[in-house]
Amino acid sequence: MMTKALSLAIMAAMLSAVGASTADAHVFGAAGAGVIEGFVHPFIGLDHLLAMIAAGLWASQIGGRAAPLVLVIFPGTMIIGAALAIFGAPFPGVELAVASSVAALGALIAGGVRPPLLPSCGLIALFALAHGYAHGAELPETASPIAYGGGFIVATLTLHLVGIWLGSRMRDRRSR
């Protein structure tokens, strides 16, 4: 019963992020943005914070090789998305895609959906592409893309690990 309640609470929090203003997530570190600003960025936007944790949580829920693959696929694809934005490639509806990723991950977690590994990785990559593009498009002009991006990637991995840890704790509770 507690696991179902926790899943529903996570889903509700993630769905609430759909209405979060993207401007709220992108106000920190405009002057001289480097590693620290890049690291802090995912922690100050509810949509990004929830998506990063949810990706790890869902990977943990799927099990098997999903967790280590998310730790490679999400940041790697996010870098590709950021590069596309920096070089001016169009991505219409990127903010809707970011918000939708949060809602979708919340629904997948709450529903206990455990698809095969390949489609799961494809979906994670799609979500990461949207998040990376949004961040690349909103990179502060004064930022060093390498330093800022490096901090951002470390924060992303940290949040994924938090999600994986939460998933393992939930699994441990269920097994007891």
Side-chain angles (χ1 to χ4, degrees):
M1 183 66 133
M2 180 60 137
T3 303
K4 186 172 184 173
L6 180 59
S7 294
L8 290 174
I10 290 168
M11 183 176 150
M14 290 183 180
L15 288 174
S16 73
V18 170
S21 167
T22 57
D24 293 342
H26 305 283
V27 296
F28 179 79
V35 174
I36 300 298
E37 290 82 4
F39 181 81
V40 170
H41 187 92
F43 292 93
I44 61 174
L46 185 60
D47 53 345
H48 305 299
L49 177 71
L50 290 174
M52 304 307 163
I53 292 172
L57 182 56
W58 188 48
S60 179
Q61 182 175 304
I62 294 168
R65 295 181 304 176
L69 284 172
V70 162
L71 293 174
V72 173
I73 291 169
F74 202 107
T77 309
M78 204 167 63
I79 291 168
I80 293 167
L84 289 171
I86 289 168
F87 291 111
F91 191 147
V94 69
E95 293 298 346
L96 179 59
V98 167
S100 297
S101 73
V102 176
L105 283 165
L108 291 165
I109 292 165
V113 178
R114 296 177 59 184
L117 192 57
L118 187 59
S120 300
C121 289
L123 193 56
I124 285 294
L126 183 63
F127 294 161
L129 188 70
H131 282 269
Y133 188 94
H135 293 319
E138 296 166 350
L139 186 70
E141 285 185 33
T142 58
S144 159
I146 301 298
Y148 188 88
F152 197 93
I153 294 300
V154 171
T156 296
L157 289 168
T158 301
L159 292 169
H160 288 332
L161 289 170
V162 166
I164 291 167
W165 177 81
L166 285 171
S168 69
R169 297 287 298 160
M170 290 169 66
R171 237 186 356 266
D172 290 348
R173 277 206 151 132
R174 271 182 273 182
S175 67
R176 282 188 262 156

